Amino acid sequence: MAEIKLAAQVRTEFGKGAARRARRAHQVPAVVYGHGAEPVHITLPGHELLLALRTANVLIGLEIDGKDALVIPKAVQRNPLKGDIEHVDLLTVKRGEKVNVEIAVQVEGDLAPGGNLLEYVQNTLLVEAEATHIPESVTVSVQGLDAGASILAKDIPLPKGSVLAGDEDAIVLQVVAAQAEEPAAEGAEGEGEEG
């Protein structure tokens, strides 16, 4: 995974008013924490951050007051109406360090004929991976699966260097039978009206 570089500015003002002023200036308030250090409150360039966060579990290289920090996003708060990023929590990581992250589950292949439906019980999988080698997703084959089949977390092949961090017996995907619509009963309406 490529590292994206962003320039950060240390925040000295706090509260709603300060956050609104930062957003009007196309900056996003953020906090960097981890490794027992005091949290550092910063602002990041809004557009560059938005582009960086398009990649799940992106590795971000920050320059804060002349010091370099390597971080991954832990929580992103968005405006529910506009979708704009309002605040980001960033976790400091070190090269070679293992972190727990959620990665997307993608499927390939076709289910067995019969109109069955694939249900995502979980659309992400919790894995432990090296901070600088976090996989973007895992791919699962559902080729030929029939109604009643399920795929457990432990059944999903993980990329090299990643291990399952969540419940290995958790159901991730399951195939459910399509429910046929009941035919409308002919003549059911108005039968007692004659007479």
Side-chain angles (χ1 to χ4, degrees):
M1 174 180 294
E3 180 182 324
I4 295 176
K5 298 273 189 186
L6 293 177
Q9 296 176 343
V10 175
R11 276 193 294 157
T12 54
E13 292 184 309
F14 302 98
K16 286 183 181 179
R20 286 187 185 124
R21 281 190 294 280
R23 288 187 205 105
R24 275 196 301 270
H26 305 290
Q27 298 287 310
V28 176
V31 64
V32 178
Y33 63 93
H35 293 289
E38 285 291 317
V40 179
H41 298 273
I42 60 172
T43 58
L44 295 168
H47 183 68
E48 288 86 347
L49 180 62
L50 181 67
L51 294 176
L53 293 177
R54 287 185 174 173
T55 303
N57 298 313
V58 65
L59 191 63
I60 301 173
L62 294 179
E63 184 181 322
I64 307 170
D65 279 347
K67 297 179 183 175
D68 290 334
L70 202 56
V71 298
I72 59 173
K74 283 309 273 183
V76 179
Q77 296 172 12
R78 293 184 183 269
N79 181 303
L81 298 176
K82 296 179 183 177
D84 298 339
I85 299 171
E86 293 194 335
H87 189 273
V88 180
D89 288 350
L90 302 165
L91 177 66
T92 303
V93 295
K94 294 180 181 173
R95 295 189 189 281
E97 176 184 9
K98 299 275 189 178
V99 292
N100 287 352
V101 292
E102 289 187 350
I103 58 175
V105 175
Q106 299 179 345
V107 296
E108 65 182 8
D110 297 319
L111 298 176
N116 296 322
L117 303 171
L118 181 65
E119 179 182 8
Y120 278 81
V121 178
Q122 296 179 196
N123 57 5
T124 60
L125 202 59
L126 184 64
V127 299
E128 181 185 72
E130 187 181 329
T132 56
H133 294 93
I134 298 172
E136 289 185 29
S137 63
V138 290
T139 303
V140 182
S141 175
V142 295
Q143 186 65 38
L145 293 182
D146 212 343
S150 59
I151 296 176
L152 303 179
K154 65 183 176 186
D155 300 330
I156 298 176
L158 297 175
K160 183 179 178 184
S162 300
V163 294
L164 192 62
D167 179 9
E168 63 180 26
D169 292 322
I171 296 173
V172 178
L173 301 165
Q174 63 186 10
V175 181
V176 293
Q179 297 182 359
E181 291 185 26
E182 293 182 21
E186 291 183 28
E189 292 181 20
E191 280 185 1
E193 292 179 10
E194 291 181 23

